[in-house]
Amino acid sequence: MSKPTLDPTLDAAVDPKTGPAVPANFLRQIVQADLDAGKHTKIVTRFPPEPNGYLHIGHAKSICVNFGLAEEFGGVCNLRFDDTNPAKEDQEYIDAIESDVRWLGFQWAGEVRYASQYFDQLHEWAVELIKAGKAYVCDLSPDQAREYRGNLTEPGKNSPFRERSIEENLDLFARMKAGEFEDGARVLRAKIDMASPNMNLRDPILYRIRHAHHHQTGDKWCIYPNYDFTHGQSDAIEGITHSICTLEFEGHRPLYEWFLDNLPVPNNPRQYEFSRLNLSYTVTSKRKLKQLVDEKHVNGWDDPRMSTLSGFRRRGYTAASIRNFCEMIGTNRSDGIVDVAMLEFSIRDDLDHSAPRAMCVLRPLKVVISNYPEGQVESLELPRHPKNDMGVRTLPFSREIYIDRDDFMEAPPKGYKRLEPAGEVRLRGSYVIRADEAIKDADGNIVELRCSYDPETLGKNPEGRKVKGVIHWVPAAESVECEVRLYDRLFRSPSPEKAEEGASFLENINPDSLQVLTGCRAEPSLGQAQPEDRFQFEREGYFCADLKDTKPGKPVFNRTVTLRDSWG
Ligand code: ATP
Ligand code: MG
């Protein structure tokens, strides 16, 4: 298999052909050292998605890291929905996330968990911080709060509400909880240090007022803890040993530790950060993916062009290919963009071994083999795989077949290895035919070819004659009509998220990312294709029977990937 061309402007971490013997994953070393030192006897990790969208390829990286480490070191991994924001979250997303994690091949420990299960405990801890003089209710408006916060070069100023008495704070926080105040009227803040060079420590918000219904807790709460006040404590409650997140949370780590140090938590998790996966030609932001769906630039979250796991699945990617890809690119702390060709390499590599071969003619042109006896049918046997033993499939061969329109040219360029007037070509697994005559309609379009076959050429080349090419074909009568969807990259630019000043990432959409071909003809065995069955259609690429639209006897095939990188 040819190696993908690696765009030199992208830092593809690993040569996909050779790959490093042990791909770099610095977290492995940390976990191993902790186990060796007896710091932990069993590691516990967690994957903490916010249920506000479907999982994408970036999440797959995080899932593989968290579940993968647990699996490798005999630990466990929890699935915990980070559901502190009632407004944008939805049961549909919860169901889809669970199903995607399972599809990738992982199982979480015990029941699914929700950060919202800990709201009572978090509230209690907030009250304890107030009682210890370490939290206060602040009435600054959002604009004022921003002004008081300072910036990277200037320290912040203390809020005029910072020195409220403990009694007043307890009373106001209780009334916030009781629903006495409007959204945004007050917040609860930690009392840390308004002059800290780390902005996250400048009296961060712990609780906001939000009169909103929550998908798990209903109308029980009208104050909600924010991410920072929730995450580390949830980790502590669950006994997480290694809390692994992406680099943008590095600056939050001191706050994460401040809460653990100032609250009577039952365990002491540690936070580690690694770099996010960014993939060329791909959007990995839930907000942007949601926009693509909401504005109907694609047909839903599982559109085969989407970088969501459900999209990749529908496109025909295997879970193994995605896991291999995540392993192949390593886990480190340096930000970069991985070439999407590496992901495509990974799926080709998997399907090359696992996908049976079949023939499907995408743009059929009828061929009548004039010298083949009328009414005669031969049953040809073709192996399902050139190397692996997958058995054979049978193909009837008779007088009328289909070949692809692109495999015949009247005036071909030099070096053309298909069929041309008076030229010869081998039909895969069958005879050599010669083109005798092209039949045209009134507009001059070729509608049919008349050919003759050489009966001496079944399975062997004619003596002393060189036949240039091999093309695929299907029998005219017995082939199955089908729809084929050809997908291309959804974006034209290698970094679609970095749109020009004032431009939207939507302007990078590739208008030709989907081509639907109807009236395609598949070899008879493909009539039985089940949703998600995968094939290599000879000379055309890897294809997968669509999960939703394939019906008995009426397959719809999605092109998963071309046979080789066509974007070099
Ligand atoms: P998005 O920006 O798409 O909304 P997010 O980080 O807000 O992503 P979460 O649901 O909070 O989405 O993510 C769950 C976990 O997945 C987090 O630990 C997050 O760090 C991780 N994650 C998200 N995107 C990536 C990525 N591109 N690469 C690696 N890990 C990621
Ligand atoms: Mg998030």
Side-chain angles (χ1 to χ4, degrees), residues 135-406:
Y136 62 98
V137 173
C138 183
D139 305 353
L140 290 178
S141 70
D143 281 344
Q144 290 169 319
R146 203 169 305 122
E147 208 187 296
Y148 273 80
R149 209 161 165 241
N151 54 41
L152 288 175
T153 50
E154 279 171 47
K157 286 181 299 187
N158 285 352
S159 158
F161 305 100
R162 202 172 198 259
E163 299 310 326
R164 272 181 165 148
S165 69
I166 290 173
E167 290 68 37
E168 190 183 3
N169 280 321
L170 287 172
D171 173 60
L172 284 172
F173 189 50
R175 288 163 60 195
M176 278 168 66
K177 176 170 181 265
E180 271 189 42
F181 312 119
E182 276 170 35
D183 285 8
R186 299 191 148 93
V187 294
L188 183 73
R189 298 174 72 175
K191 195 188 275 191
I192 307 182
D193 179 7
M194 287 307 290
S196 171
N198 184 337
M199 302 282 283
N200 295 303
L201 296 180
R202 293 187 187 172
D203 291 8
I205 292 176
L206 310 183
Y207 268 89
R208 287 190 170 83
I209 302 173
R210 274 193 118 142
H211 293 268
H213 184 84
H214 188 283
H215 52 94
Q216 299 300 315
T217 59
D219 295 313
K220 178 172 175 188
W221 298 91
C222 64
I223 53 171
Y224 289 93
N226 71 349
Y227 172 86
D228 284 318
F229 191 63
T230 308
H231 202 80
Q233 289 91 301
S234 304
D235 287 342
I237 292 169
E238 292 179 8
I240 302 299
T241 55
H242 299 78
S243 178
I244 298 159
C245 58
T246 35
L247 273 174
E248 68 269 24
F249 291 102
E250 189 174 20
H252 294 241
R253 190 177 350 125
L255 182 56
Y256 182 98
E257 290 172 355
W258 190 90
F259 291 129
L260 299 180
D261 290 344
N262 286 279
L263 291 170
V265 291
N267 292 287
N268 251 303
R270 287 266 329 249
Q271 174 181 309
Y272 298 93
E273 309 90 20
F274 70 101
S275 54
R276 298 175 74 82
L277 165 63
N278 300 306
L279 204 55
S280 64
Y281 297 98
T282 308
V283 161
T284 48
S285 143
K286 271 184 283 184
R287 191 177 56 75
K288 293 197 175 97
L289 292 174
K290 186 166 189 306
Q291 192 180 348
L292 289 170
V293 174
D294 291 345
E295 295 178 7
K296 300 200 165 25
H297 299 289
V298 294
N299 304 315
W301 284 96
D302 67 349
D303 185 299
R305 291 165 294 178
M306 290 280 273
S307 61
T308 52
L309 292 183
S310 51
F312 279 119
R313 175 177 179 177
R314 215 172 148 193
R315 175 91 169 238
Y317 274 69
T318 59
S321 70
I322 293 178
R323 291 197 309 266
N324 288 345
F325 165 74
C326 290
E327 181 64 19
M328 178 163 83
I329 58 176
T331 305
N332 55 45
R333 287 176 54 88
S334 57
D335 268 318
I337 299 175
V338 173
D339 192 336
V340 71
M342 307 249 289
L343 180 61
E344 292 165 357
F345 173 86
S346 183
I347 183 64
R348 281 190 195 103
D349 195 40
D350 185 353
L351 294 179
D352 182 35
H353 301 292
S354 61
R357 286 8 181 199
M359 292 194 283
C360 182
V361 173
L362 303 191
R363 301 160 194 87
L365 172 64
K366 179 168 282 183
V367 173
V368 177
I369 301 165
S370 326
N371 63 339
Y372 197 87
E374 210 142 348
Q376 179 173 314
V377 183
E378 278 176 88
S379 194
L380 306 177
E381 286 197 337
L382 277 76
R384 287 189 196 277
H385 197 280
K387 286 180 245 143
N388 304 343
D389 186 13
M390 293 188 183
V392 294
R393 75 238 204 223
T394 48
L395 242 84
F397 183 81
S398 52
R399 208 174 132 87
E400 295 193 358
I401 62 170
Y402 289 113
I403 65 168
D404 199 287
R405 246 164 226 293
D406 291 350

Side-chain angles (χ1 to χ4, degrees), residues 62-102:
S62 177
I63 293 170
C64 289
V65 167
N66 281 295
F67 283 90
L69 284 171
E71 213 168 80
E72 187 176 339
F73 290 96
V76 293
C77 181
N78 293 350
L79 174 61
R80 182 202 314 146
F81 287 104
D82 170 17
D83 58 347
T84 54
N85 180 351
K88 291 195 223 146
E89 299 167 357
D90 204 316
Q91 187 63 39
E92 178 196 348
Y93 299 140
I94 291 178
D95 297 341
I97 289 170
E98 289 180 25
S99 135
D100 286 345
V101 172
R102 278 207 209 91

Side-chain angles (χ1 to χ4, degrees), residues 47-61:
F47 173 63
E50 186 181 347
N52 61 350
Y54 280 56
L55 298 181
H56 53 62
I57 186 74
H59 294 114
K61 174 70 198 172

